[in-house]
Amino acid sequence: MAKIARISHLQEFKDQGKKFSCLTSYDQQTASIFDEAGINVLLVGDSAAENFLGHESVLAITIEEIIPLGRAVASAAKSSLVVVDMPFGSYEASTEEAVRNAVKIMKATGAAAIKLEGGRRSASQITAIVEAGIPVMGHIGFTPQSVHALGGFKVQGRGEGAEDVLAEALAVQAAGAFAVVLEMVPADLATEITKQLRIPTIGIGAGAGTDGQILVWTDFAGLTPGKPRRFVRQYANLRNELLEAAKAYAKDVESSNFPNADESFSD
């Protein structure tokens, strides 16, 4: 895989009609594996709040919590483009605060870009951060940090709402973002937005017509308990594999079958 060191590679992929892959990652181990696998973009997402830190909502994660995760991923990735989410509350108040926190994240993690949610409401923040020399990935459609304002986990852009989602995408592009995530929007709408935008689109629950696709890694690997969301395809069932391995280990310890002679030292 060609080394992904700059955001321009994603634009080249779009221009060439080449699809690209993205996964979330929150630690050095998964980042190294996904990087070796050829995943093009690693997002240190605020989804770490629920899937790594034990919070009940993405709203709870702080800059102080996401920075060490970003640093771990960026240090392990050799080819993937690393993007770090700006947590809820770190960019909404003012453009000055948004720039200050974006700079803090970039300096402390070594990532290549940041991501923030919102279209028109975040346009001034996107522009200010980009003018400060920091690449920004946008995020529209269903935006997890606005789950309460949106009335829950609902598909965005159905019916008359399609024009509004398109306007949000165009606003993100006009503000200077290099790419935009489209989450939980109808597939036809996502395809149309992808055609109208010059910047790459990244889908999650948005059909196959976007330029790239992203999944939360604990969902795609089968670590998340319960029934996966409709747009998730599980490529492994690590939860069951780890569960059975842990049971076998506990049984071997209890029966004195571990460690055996080969796993012990002699005088």
Side-chain angles (χ1 to χ4, degrees), residues 154-167:
K154 298 180 179 180
V155 175
Q156 303 295 306
R158 283 177 168 155
E160 295 180 357
E163 288 299 322
D164 186 65
V165 174
L166 173 58

Side-chain angles (χ1 to χ4, degrees), residues 3-46:
K3 183 175 179 60
I4 302 297
R6 303 182 187 279
I7 60 174
S8 59
H9 286 88
L10 300 188
Q11 188 63 54
E12 290 174 6
F13 288 164
K14 180 182 178 74
D15 295 342
Q16 296 167 4
K18 179 181 177 180
K19 303 283 187 173
F20 58 89
S21 57
C22 316
L23 283 173
T24 65
S25 178
Y26 320 121
D27 63 276
Q28 175 264 339
Q29 296 282 10
T30 58
S32 177
I33 293 168
F34 299 156
D35 182 80
E36 183 178 345
I39 302 301
N40 302 113
V41 179
L42 297 180
L43 172 66
V44 185
D46 56 10

